[in-house]
């Protein structure tokens, strides 16, 4: 539980820092997070297609 609590506290402190950043900094951060999330989702779909041997995203190929 101790490590989980440290992660939560770190996230809360980082959230407070983000609130003090400028709008431009916050937008840049959000854009980077969006790109990382999209990349993760693409990789997840590829792996799921390989495991399930099915075309999940409708692009006509597996993986």
């Amino acid at each position: 539980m101790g490590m989980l609590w440290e992660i939560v506290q770190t996230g809360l402190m980082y959230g407070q820092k983000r609130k003090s950043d400028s709008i431009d900094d916050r937008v840049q951060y959000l854009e980077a997070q969006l790109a990382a999330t999209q990349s993760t989702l693409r990789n997840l779909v590829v792996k799921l297609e390989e495991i399930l041997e099915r075309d999940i995203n409708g692009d006509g190929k597996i993986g």
Side-chain angles (χ1 to χ4, degrees):
M1 182 69 177
M3 188 163 75
L4 179 61
W5 182 244
E6 282 184 43
I7 293 170
V8 169
Q9 285 182 317
T10 301
L12 291 173
M13 288 188 307
Y14 187 70
Q16 288 298 320
K17 183 205 175 301
R18 297 299 316 166
K19 287 181 182 177
S20 66
D21 289 343
S22 72
I23 294 293
D24 289 338
D25 290 339
R26 291 167 67 185
V27 168
Q28 186 176 16
Y29 169 78
L30 289 173
E31 288 174 341
Q33 288 299 307
L34 175 61
T37 301
Q38 289 173 332
S39 175
T40 300
L41 287 174
R42 279 191 294 275
N43 292 336
L44 178 61
V45 168
V46 167
K47 285 295 181 191
L48 284 173
E49 286 184 346
E50 290 171 356
I51 291 169
L52 299 175
E53 296 178 355
R54 293 177 52 196
D55 179 21
I56 295 173
N57 62 2
D59 66 354
K61 60 182 183 174
I62 296 173

